[in-house]
Amino acid sequence: MALSPLTKYLPVLQWGRTYNKEAFQNDLVAAVIVTIMLVPQSLAYALLAGLPAEAGIYASIVPIMLYSVFGTSRALAVGPVAVVSLMTAAAIGKVAQSGDIGYATAALTMAFLSGVMLLGLGLLRLGWIANFLSHPVIAGFITASGVLIASSQIGHILGISISGHSLPHMFESLFENFTKLNFITLFIGVAATAFLFWVRKGLKPLLLSKGVPPKLADVLTKAGPVAAVVVTTAFVALFRLDNWGVKVVGEVPQSLPPFTMPDLSFDLIGKLFVPALLISIIGFVESISVAQTLAAKKRQRITPDQELIGLGAANIGAAFTGGYPVTGGFARSVVNFDAGAETPAAGAFTAIGLAIAALALTPLLYFLPKATLAATIIVAVLSLVDFSILKRSWGYSKPDFFAVAATILMTWAFGVETGVSSGVGLSVLLYLFKTSRPHIAEVGLMEGTEHFRNIKRHQVKTDDRLVMMRVDESLYFANARFLEDYIYDRVQADCGIEHVVLMMSAVNAIDFSALESLEAINARLKDMGIKLHMSEVKGPVMDRLQTAHFLHDMTGEVFLSQYEAMAKLTGMTAAKAAE
């Protein structure tokens, strides 16, 4: 019992007490598979962020270990991901030039800010803030980002430099530099891309057809990017193609992550604050989606607020160990899960594997062509592209379709920050638009029952002296006036009305603006000789109304049920009403 307060914030104390030899073996196997995949992927994502290749490995060591202590997901693999890497490059590119020491320092600061924000949100239990990004908008943003990321790597495939963080700028730069095309680099890039696509779809079936055990076939498939790295690196080194214009990674420090310090000057923090907030929210949404999906398969539980703390700790760790913003990655987490990871210890073992790679393998990466890393990124991010969201949202909800389409177009045209900002804005505006015109149904009694349904959809019993309206939305400042106008329009058209009953079964809250509207409705109906009543008011709503004078001033009554209201106001007995 004494450990329970600690286990809330240190989940490692919970799963660590039941850790056994079998879990250790499963975690170790998963770590080996994930490490093989992460070495080239981490290098590639660091270059995507505009940072030296080693920053990707550094960002995958300490952050993973910290998450394994504070995180609640047993399969989530934390580290650099494509979308966050692109957002990092877009944000830092506005305050520093890639390659400068100030650029790397800004990346550390971005990770620190993101970590502090995530940690603060977790401690304040504000995980719900991610709900401001609707799923269709997130899907549209990730699809747009996938295309943007793949486009940004075309330059590396062609052996030319392209700049910009939006499609128009990228293609403009591409056309300007197209004459500098390097055909050797093009050959390496196209061959690596084609091979990686084939590995993803065709290698495992081929191996299984040859009698290779499924587990081994899966490991060999995941090692496909490593094979591409080894072959293309050897090819470039053997023929010294770097002398022929093939761009290589170059010297990668042979060391563990260094101790680094972010720049906490107010000027830099002010410039990076908003991008860091966007990265934090996007990263958290991506991470929690993956974590909950994988946890559901094993009936495990994810605590969103504790996930914020885990991701916050991981990002702070990245800031002090030469990294940049990190989050839970979809591809690596799925690989980790499929490989049999039992606990977050698999992540810690992965970190150890990457540390060994940083010490022993980095000298072998000197001749690694950047075209191969670009191919790795392209193949990885194109799996995120899903334009079917447009078709599905068009068929189900036109407003959601326009939000998705606008997010995609804004991301392509102006970059990731504008795209995700517009997505958040559109999500909020769509919510306000939908709820500002709530569905209000005039209802009547179904014959032989005590149920009330829409008079436009069902054959129901009504009374000329009585108007019964079901309000299908909580009442707040954006829709209060709509309810006023709806009631006035209805009663002015019928002089025989004596009572208006608002059926409040779907109303979960009434804010102060809506309360004032109800008071205005009550006063105006009173002047018209009509009484206002309510029925089926929920307890929390009634508690709030009882703190004001509205119930005392209301001309009518509050009924427990709509059936009771109709029976009393029409003078019917229960038996007669049910006839």
Side-chain angles (χ1 to χ4, degrees), residues 432-558:
L432 292 175
F433 174 76
K434 292 175 182 177
T435 56
S436 67
R437 299 176 61 83
H439 179 258
I440 301 175
E442 188 169 340
V443 298
L445 179 65
M446 295 286 291
E447 295 283 351
T449 74
E450 295 185 7
H451 300 291
F452 289 78
R453 293 294 184 268
N454 193 330
I455 63 174
K456 296 180 179 179
R457 294 176 178 269
H458 302 275
Q459 292 291 331
V460 293
K461 181 183 293 186
T462 61
D463 189 286
D464 293 339
R465 297 167 296 163
L466 181 64
V467 172
M468 298 175 289
M469 297 179 180
R470 189 186 67 229
V471 183
D472 292 334
E473 186 70 62
S474 291
L475 298 176
Y476 72 118
F477 66 91
N479 62 21
R481 187 58 183 269
F482 180 85
L483 177 63
E484 283 188 57
D485 294 340
Y486 189 96
I487 292 176
Y488 297 156
D489 290 342
R490 175 64 180 88
V491 298
Q492 285 175 350
D494 191 339
C495 298
I497 296 175
E498 298 176 5
H499 303 278
V500 171
V501 182
L502 296 181
M503 186 176 177
M504 309 286 278
S505 54
V507 177
N508 296 314
I510 298 175
D511 75 357
F512 191 74
S513 296
L515 175 64
E516 290 185 331
S517 288
L518 288 175
E519 291 173 344
I521 292 169
N522 180 63
R524 188 163 178 179
L525 291 180
K526 181 180 180 181
D527 293 340
M528 299 171 66
I530 301 174
K531 290 186 177 182
L532 175 66
H533 309 267
M534 293 193 297
S535 71
E536 303 184 10
V537 181
K538 292 184 176 180
V541 177
M542 180 63 77
D543 292 341
R544 182 60 59 86
L545 291 177
Q546 286 174 339
T547 64
H549 293 285
F550 171 69
L551 294 179
H552 180 267
D553 296 334
M554 192 171 69
T555 54
E557 301 179 47
V558 177

Side-chain angles (χ1 to χ4, degrees), residues 13 37 119 153 179 181 188 191 195 199 205 287 311 313 321-322 380 386 388 429 444 493 495 525 538 544 555:
L13 298 178
M37 183 188 79
L119 186 61
Q153 300 305 299
T179 55
L181 169 69
I188 294 173
F195 172 74
V199 164
S287 179
L311 292 173
T321 55
D386 179 20
S388 67
L429 287 175
C495 298
L525 291 180
K538 292 184 176 180
R544 182 60 59 86
T555 54

Side-chain angles (χ1 to χ4, degrees), residues 187-344:
F187 171 76
I188 294 173
V190 171
T193 304
F195 172 74
L196 291 174
F197 271 119
W198 174 78
V199 164
R200 176 163 290 201
K201 298 292 184 181
L203 181 58
K204 187 172 182 179
L206 177 63
L207 293 174
L208 293 175
S209 68
K210 300 296 183 181
V212 177
K215 192 107 177 174
L216 179 59
D218 194 54
V219 173
L220 293 175
T221 300
K222 299 297 188 299
V226 176
V229 166
V230 171
V231 171
T232 56
T233 301
F235 182 64
V236 172
L238 181 63
F239 296 101
R240 290 308 305 260
L241 297 179
D242 55 319
N243 294 329
W244 293 82
V246 175
K247 296 179 180 179
V248 297
V249 170
E251 186 175 353
V252 178
Q254 190 175 1
S255 68
L256 292 174
F259 176 76
T260 53
M261 284 292 294
D263 180 357
L264 301 181
S265 64
F266 287 109
D267 180 57
L268 185 59
I269 289 176
K271 293 177 181 177
L272 297 180
F273 185 85
V274 173
L277 179 61
L278 294 176
I279 285 176
S280 301
I281 295 176
I282 289 293
F284 173 62
V285 170
E286 180 177 355
S287 179
I288 198 68
S289 298
V290 176
Q292 289 177 336
T293 299
L294 297 179
K297 294 182 178 181
K298 288 191 175 182
R299 297 188 177 184
Q300 295 168 349
R301 184 172 177 268
I302 298 298
T303 307
D305 292 322
Q306 185 61 33
E307 284 297 290
L308 283 166
I309 294 175
L311 292 173
N315 277 278
I316 292 174
F320 289 99
T321 55
Y324 67 100
V326 298
T327 192
F330 176 77
R332 71 185 67 187
S333 298
V334 171
V335 170
N336 196 36
F337 180 85
D338 291 341
E342 292 281 344
T343 71

